[in-house]
Amino acid sequence: MEQSSFYVVCGVLASVFMILGYLPQAIQTIRTRETDGIALPTFLMMGIGSICFMLQGVLHKPNIIWSMFLTNLVTTICSIIVFGIKFYNDFIKKKKK
């Protein structure tokens, strides 16, 4: 079944805005290692949601939805990085003090 141009444009725009929404937080967290203002459960849930959307994009039949898969691959990686730094700061670093 052929998708309309509007459908494709919406998917691409959603992909761009999702990545632009995640990247600034991930970049700032990587640079500063500051995570006090970040809620651990939020990034855990966002990461799990991104993994689910990534799987949905891959498992879509008859064709993979590449914009959904790639967007959520990037957001999953960002979530894992931010979650890891946050977890380290909240649990590992505090034990050392």
Side-chain angles (χ1 to χ4, degrees), residues 48-63:
I48 292 169
S50 291
I51 290 169
C52 292
F53 277 133
M54 191 171 60
L55 290 172
Q56 183 183 12
V58 168
L59 298 174
H60 185 267
K61 300 293 181 201
N63 299 319

Side-chain angles (χ1 to χ4, degrees), residues 13-59:
L13 285 175
S15 298
V16 169
F17 286 115
M18 286 289 294
I19 290 171
L20 291 177
Y22 266 85
L23 278 180
Q25 182 68 61
I27 291 169
Q28 180 159 341
T29 303
I30 293 166
R31 283 184 182 163
T32 65
R33 300 286 193 231
E34 181 63 39
T35 58
D36 290 338
I38 296 174
L40 191 63
T42 299
F43 265 85
L44 177 61
M45 294 300 144
M46 289 169 58
I48 292 169
S50 291
I51 290 169
C52 292
F53 277 133
M54 191 171 60
L55 290 172
Q56 183 183 12
V58 168
L59 298 174

